[in-house]
Every structure is written in structure tokens, then in C-alpha cells.
Amino acid sequence: MSSVSKADRKTALDVASWSFNIVTSVGIIMVNKALMATYGFSFATTLTGLHFATTTLLTVLLRSLGYIQNSHIPLPDLLKFVLFANFSIVGMNVSLMWNSVGFYQIAKLSMIPVSCFLEVVFDKVRYSRDTKLSILLVLLGVAVCTVTDVSVNVKGFLAAVIAVWSTALQQYYVHFLQRKHSLGSFDLLGHTAPVQAASLVLAGPFVDYWLTEKKVYAYNYTTVSTFFIILSCTIAVGTNLSQFICIGRFTAVSFQVLGHMKTILVLILGFLFFGKEGLNLHVILGMVIAVAGMIWYGNASSKPGGKERWTYSAPSDKSQKPDNLLGSTETDEKV
């Protein structure tokens, strides 16, 4: 009876984690879309710095309340994570500016195979045939939904490569650092958020001026635009925390695959609230294919052999350790 209730509790926490991430991620995308498209606040890097500054304030509060324990991350590990994370943010903005929307979407889709590669190389993870095919089905569905015009240039391609690899490494490191240093999501965020906030708030205005030729200090801050900036920062706290929770409980690959549900919701909400992206038969077909792939992935990766970490030990006959999608909070059970 206790094992059943424990499994039910874990499933409930998994669902709650994903729901938290989807709601906050879709929410911040819609708020930022209104802020940038309607009110002309095009300073994405600076805004991200403000997001992490707000998140830092939360971590200070949580530490004072005892929810964040005293822990240590070696400075090289912390700097590598911040480097990957900041390159991811700037790289994505530059990639969007220098590439067509179609190629930008293809670059985002390529994060899944790159994340798979990192898990295979560093974690010795092996995927079953069904798991691989389900990932391909998700990629196909999202591509049908989002990829339109595709044009490539050299500097745009280089920006996309930097963005994809830095994002994949950042997400891999979220899981890696939690497992390596036995850290909870709150603990890791308490280490990384202040450093990211300081670096992005300082560098953000210069990066944004380079990208947009506009100065953040010269922007006309109205009451409504300021409200949207504050709302964006508030939602970002949940987005940052939920990302760490989800990748900690699952993996970067699962986070990427199932996270494309957010792409579908953004398309739907964009049509409902902004009326610019048409939900034609082509887009709806892509959504159906992607959702079918996500369901297949969840089922295939949770089966024995669907997704396993192989360990090699000479004295023992046990050469592999099975692991599934619904990882628990125990670090040795997560992939």
C-alpha cells in the first residue's frame, strides 16, 4: 500500500512540476510578446537580467526562511554554467535577428538531438527504437507547425550553432550540478541566479544596443509598459524555478521533448489574443503529430529499456541501470 501511495505521490508531483513550467513559460511568452510588440520594449537581454535579479530576491527570501540550505558549488562549475546560460540567452536573440524565422525554428528543434548526444556521451544513456522514433515524431510535428521560410547565411548559422549548443549545455548542467553536488532546485537557483543577474544587468544594455541600436535608458517608460515589465519579472521567477525543478526531476531531453507542448499552446494563444498566426489545417496537423509524439515518448521512455543509463563495472555482472522518464527526487534514480 505504501509503495502504491508513494508512486501516486511521485506522479502527482511530476504532473504538478510540468504544469507549473508550462503555465509560467507560456505566460511569460505572452506577456513579453505584448511588451515588445505593443509597447516597443525590445531590450530582451536587459529584461532577462531583470528576471534573474527578481529571482535573486526570491532566493534571498527563501534562504532567510530556511528553504535554501547552505551548500557549495566550486567556482569553475558555477562559471561554466553561467557562461553557457548567458551565451544561450544572447545567442538565441542574435540567431533570431540574423536568421529567418524558419531557420530559427529549425535551430531550436535541433536542441533535442544535441541534448540526446550529451546524455549519450556523458551519462552513457541508451534509447530504445520506440523512444528514438517518438522523438523524431515530435520534431516532425513541431516542424510542420512552425517552420515556414528557410534561408541560411554564414553569420546566422554560426549564431544558431552557438545558441543551440550553449542552451543544450546549460540545460544539461542544471541536471548535472544537482546530481553531482546533491542540490535541490532552490539551492542551485540560489547559487546561479545572483551571478546571472549581475552579469546580464551590466552587459544587457550594451548587448541590446548592439542588437537594436536603441538605448534602454532612452525608452519611454509609461505606467502600462512598466506594469508589463514588473509582471514579466514576476512570472519569470516561476519560469526559472520550474525549469530547474523539471530538469532536476527528469532530464534535459525530456524537458525539451515534452516542453514543445508550450510551443503548441503559444500558437493557440497567439491566434486567440493577437490574431496574427492563423490556425490553418497545416498547423493543426502539425500539432496533432507533435502531441501524438509526446504521448508516445512518455510511454516508450518509461518502459524498461526505453531509456537506460549504462554503467560499466568490472567486478559485477550488472552492466546497466534502467531508468525511466519519471525520475524521482533521489539523485541516483534520475536520468
Side-chain angles (χ1 to χ4, degrees), residues 68-80:
I68 295 180
Q69 306 301 320
N70 290 328
S71 56
H72 173 71
I73 294 182
L75 185 60
D77 283 349
L78 180 60
L79 292 180
K80 278 192 287 186

Side-chain angles (χ1 to χ4, degrees), residues 167-204:
T167 301
L169 284 165
Q170 181 262 340
Q171 293 183 354
Y172 174 82
Y173 252 71
V174 169
H175 185 77
F176 172 77
L177 292 177
Q178 289 190 49
R179 189 176 64 215
K180 179 181 178 181
H181 301 291
S182 300
L183 297 172
S185 304
F186 291 104
D187 301 325
L188 181 58
L189 198 59
H191 286 287
T192 60
V195 184
Q196 281 192 263
S199 57
L200 290 174
V201 167
L202 291 174

Side-chain angles (χ1 to χ4, degrees), residues 35-36 76 89 146 177 195 197 204 208 219 227 234 283 296 315-316 324 328 330:
L35 179 61
M36 294 180 182
I89 294 163
T146 60
L177 292 177
V195 184
D208 287 331
Y219 175 76
F227 167 77
T234 303
V283 173
W296 188 10
S316 173
N324 56 32
S328 73
E330 294 296 325

Side-chain angles (χ1 to χ4, degrees), residues 13-32:
L13 289 173
D14 290 340
V15 172
S17 299
W18 276 119
S19 300
F20 184 33
N21 180 256
I22 289 173
V23 169
T24 55
S25 297
V26 173
I28 198 171
I29 289 171
M30 303 310 294
V31 169
N32 288 351

Side-chain angles (χ1 to χ4, degrees), residues 10-11 14-15 18 112 127-138 250-251 253-261 289-308 323-327:
K10 185 176 76 66
T11 301
D14 290 340
V15 172
W18 276 119
I112 293 180
Y127 300 93
S128 68
R129 181 180 62 86
D130 281 359
T131 303
K132 294 174 185 176
L133 290 175
S134 67
I135 292 174
L136 290 176
L137 191 63
V138 172
F250 310 103
T251 66
V253 171
S254 297
F255 182 75
Q256 283 285 342
V257 172
L258 301 182
H260 277 299
M261 179 60 70
I289 294 173
V291 171
M294 293 174 201
I295 295 172
W296 188 10
Y297 175 82
N299 182 59
S301 62
S302 63
K303 289 181 178 179
K307 184 177 180 182
E308 297 178 330
D323 208 335
N324 56 32
L325 169 66
L326 300 177

